[in-house]
Amino acid sequence: MEVVLASASPRRLALLEQVGIAARVVPADFAEEAGSAAEARLVALHNAQGKCRAVAAAVGDAVPVVAADTIVVIDEDILGKPADACEAKAMLARLSGRSHQVMTGVAVRYQGRELSEVCVTDVKFRPLEAEEIDAYVATGEPLDKAGAYGIQGREALLVEQIRGCYNNVVGLPLSRLHMMLQEIGVGRSGEARQKLAGKGK
C-alpha cells in the first residue's frame, strides 16, 4: 500500500514504513491553529483536515493523502512545540509526576472522499528531577515535539504509565489509520499502487 504523507515528521514516516506502507512525503503548506484545552479535539481535527486538504489540492487524491496533528493537553492548556529550551524545560517540569492527554487528529482523503477523527491516549510521567530535565533538553530532542517530549527512544524513560494507543503518542495511531483507509476504500486492490507508480515516472 502507498500513500501521500502530508507531514515532514520522520516519526510518522517511520511508523508507516514499520507496517509496510510506502509514503511519498509532501509537507502541507498550512498554518496550524491553536486554541484552548476545551477545544483541543477540534483543534487537532481542524489542523489534520487542513493539512490533508492542502496537500490533496496540490497533488490530487488519486493516491490516498494522510495527515495528522498531535497535541498535548494538561489542565486548561494545549502544549505545542516549545519555542526554545527554556520553554521546553517549563513544559517538562509541568508534566512531571502528572497525567495528561495526547490527542492526534487524523485525516485521510481519497478519490473525493474524506474521513477524519481524533485518537486520545492518557500518559503519566514519573516525577522528574531538574537535572534530568536539563540533560534531556540539552540533547535538543524536545524542541520539535508537542509537549517537549516523545515516547520513543530515550524519552521512554520519562513515562510511568500509558493508557491507550502507544503509536498515537509517537504521532500516528496506526490501527485506527488502517481501519480508516479500509473504510475509505484503500487496500482492496492494486489501484493506488499503480497510480503512485505512474506519478513517479
Side-chain angles (χ1 to χ4, degrees), residues 95-178:
L95 295 171
S96 174
R98 301 185 60 198
S99 296
H100 61 275
Q101 291 185 313
V102 177
M103 301 183 183
T104 299
V106 182
V108 178
R109 191 170 182 86
Y110 181 50
Q111 296 184 339
R113 295 185 61 204
E114 182 180 300
L115 293 178
S116 59
E117 62 179 78
V118 177
C119 183
V120 181
T121 302
D122 295 316
V123 180
K124 183 180 180 182
F125 268 27
R126 63 177 176 81
L128 306 177
E129 299 291 339
E131 293 78 8
E132 61 183 325
I133 290 176
D134 290 345
Y136 175 48
V137 173
T139 67
E141 293 181 11
L143 297 180
D144 71 335
K145 299 178 176 69
Y149 82 97
I151 198 171
Q152 67 283 7
R154 76 184 75 192
E155 300 102 321
L157 299 176
L158 309 177
V159 176
E160 180 177 278
Q161 187 177 19
I162 179 172
R163 186 175 64 186
C165 176
Y166 168 88
N167 290 318
N168 186 57
V169 185
V170 181
L172 198 60
L174 290 175
S175 180
R176 286 306 309 149
L177 174 62
H178 174 69

Side-chain angles (χ1 to χ4, degrees), residues 36-100:
S36 69
E39 304 169 320
R41 286 177 178 266
L42 295 178
V43 170
L45 194 64
H46 170 81
N47 288 337
Q49 291 171 337
K51 294 175 186 178
C52 188
R53 292 167 187 171
V55 170
V59 305
D61 63 0
V63 172
V65 178
V66 174
D69 185 63
T70 300
I71 58 177
V72 171
V73 182
I74 186 168
D75 299 327
E76 299 300 319
D77 294 321
I78 294 175
L79 305 185
K81 296 177 183 178
D84 52 33
C86 184
E87 187 174 10
K89 291 178 184 180
M91 287 183 180
L92 291 168
R94 186 173 182 182
L95 295 171
S96 174
R98 301 185 60 198
S99 296
H100 61 275

